[in-house]
Amino acid sequence: MTPTTSTLRTIVTCAGLLALPLAGACSSSPPASESTTTHPPASPADHHAEWRRAMAKTRTPKSGCFHAKHPSTTWEEVPCVAAPTVPLVPARGVSSTPRFQVGDGAGDYASTVSGTISYAEGSFPFVSGVTKQAGLAPGYTLSGYSLQMNTNTASKTAACAQGPNGAACTAWQQFVYIGGQLFMQYWLIDYFATAPAAGVTCPAGFNFYDNGYYEGTTVIHQYDCYVSSKSAANVPSFPATELQDVSMAADVFGGADQATLYYLGEVMAITPPEGSVLHADQWWTSAEFNVFGPGYGSAALFNYGSTMAVQTITDSNVPTLAAPSCTSTSYTGEINNLTAVAGSCCAFGGAGTGTGIFFTQSNVPGAGAYPCP
């Protein structure tokens, strides 16, 4: 059971930043960013884009863990590992996150489609100035950051309806990379309206979690249930300085969920044995992808001078020429110390070109935006 103090909002102060190995932390004059009007050189992920996307949309032959190396188009099975149990929490009901930070209900962009999402892919096409990165998580030894592909929340799901707070409960699913593992995590937010009585438990297999936060000096409780997928894919670990060489995708077509991660010419996949726990294919309409803290509502902190483009591609089950919309929101409780550049989010799409959104985030005051695709 997680200690109560670990469920509360982590306050990241200037003093806390000074204790981290960050260049120029809390400086009043962060170094200026490189110009963002010219694209940096293409990364390996760009050169393999068509292949990795085709593999991400190719179903594994059965549940389990698989990989393929460029240019092979055949999945090869590899051993799975146990998925981490660290909770990557949902955004609190009332966010205290400043608008200049990405995450915890604010500051991020999601790709919202017509119909429902069957496939979503996230990447960082352009990155500049990232030299160091560290993360905070109170009382826990965790990897420095997570990559998250998050669904929107959904009410009136079967998993929520069976609970004692069915009218308020919402389902939420994440596809997660953290510490060299790729897995899924499932949430039933507000499964209980009040603290459960002795003997009252979450659904079978789920863990209870009080996703508490401060509203002023008052602790607001949010009684949730969560569980990680039964297995995870063991994938390479990579530093945040190599985010440009990584992409992550989620496929929920046909009610069987699959997550893939691409890194330096190799694609790794996980199709959990439990199948589609929350049936996201029936209600997923908005996808949020980004780099966040490594769990428990923590922060991913980048050195000042960091700027990156974020791209989220989404396939809808409703064929349309219209691009998705840039929705200003965040579904996760983790954050990073970057700011979405004002006016930088653009939606793109059309017949045969793919659809998605693209925006720039930075911790450089006055940073410009990378040109939209």
Side-chain angles (χ1 to χ4, degrees), residues 63-65 79-85 173-174 176 181-186 203-207 226-234 257 259 269-278:
S63 65
C65 299
C80 290
V81 296
T85 58
Q173 183 166 336
Q174 300 169 283
V176 182
Q181 293 177 303
L182 180 68
F183 62 103
M184 298 164 201
Q185 197 164 91
Y186 317 98
F206 279 73
N207 307 296
Y226 82 99
V227 66
S228 296
S229 52
K230 292 183 179 179
S231 55
N234 199 18
D257 302 342
I270 171 69
T271 303
E274 65 268 22
S276 185
V277 173
L278 299 178

Side-chain angles (χ1 to χ4, degrees), residues 98-103 107-109 290 304 306-308 310 336-342 344 359-368:
R99 295 296 299 184
F100 57 81
Q101 289 178 329
V102 170
D108 205 2
Y109 286 103
N290 218 317
Y304 286 95
S306 297
T307 301
M308 63 182 73
V310 183
N336 65 44
N337 67 333
L338 306 177
T339 302
V341 174
S344 68
F359 67 94
T360 302
Q361 58 185 12
S362 178
N363 56 21
V364 180

Side-chain angles (χ1 to χ4, degrees), residues 305-355:
S306 297
T307 301
M308 63 182 73
V310 183
Q311 179 171 277
T312 307
I313 293 174
T314 42
D315 288 353
S316 170
N317 69 338
V318 178
T320 176
L321 297 179
S325 60
C326 288
T327 302
S328 180
T329 190
S330 174
Y331 301 107
T332 183
E334 281 77 46
I335 64 174
N336 65 44
N337 67 333
L338 306 177
T339 302
V341 174
S344 68
C345 190
C346 58
F348 57 88
T353 63
T355 60

Side-chain angles (χ1 to χ4, degrees), residues 124 145-147 243 289-293 300 302 308 335-336 361:
F124 304 96
Y145 68 92
S146 66
L147 299 181
L243 286 176
F289 172 78
N290 218 317
V291 53
F292 298 105
F302 293 89
M308 63 182 73
I335 64 174
N336 65 44
Q361 58 185 12

Side-chain angles (χ1 to χ4, degrees), residues 78-91:
V78 294
C80 290
V81 296
T85 58
V86 54
L88 294 114
V89 302

Side-chain angles (χ1 to χ4, degrees), residues 11 19 22 32 46 80 153 155 165 176 189 191 199 201 210 217 239-240 261 286 300 323 331-332 354 362 364 370:
I11 305 298
L22 302 178
D46 296 322
C80 290
T153 58
S155 59
N165 194 31
V176 182
I189 304 169
Y191 189 77
T201 62
D210 181 358
T217 59
L261 184 136
S286 186
Y331 301 107
T332 183
S362 178
V364 180
Y370 289 107

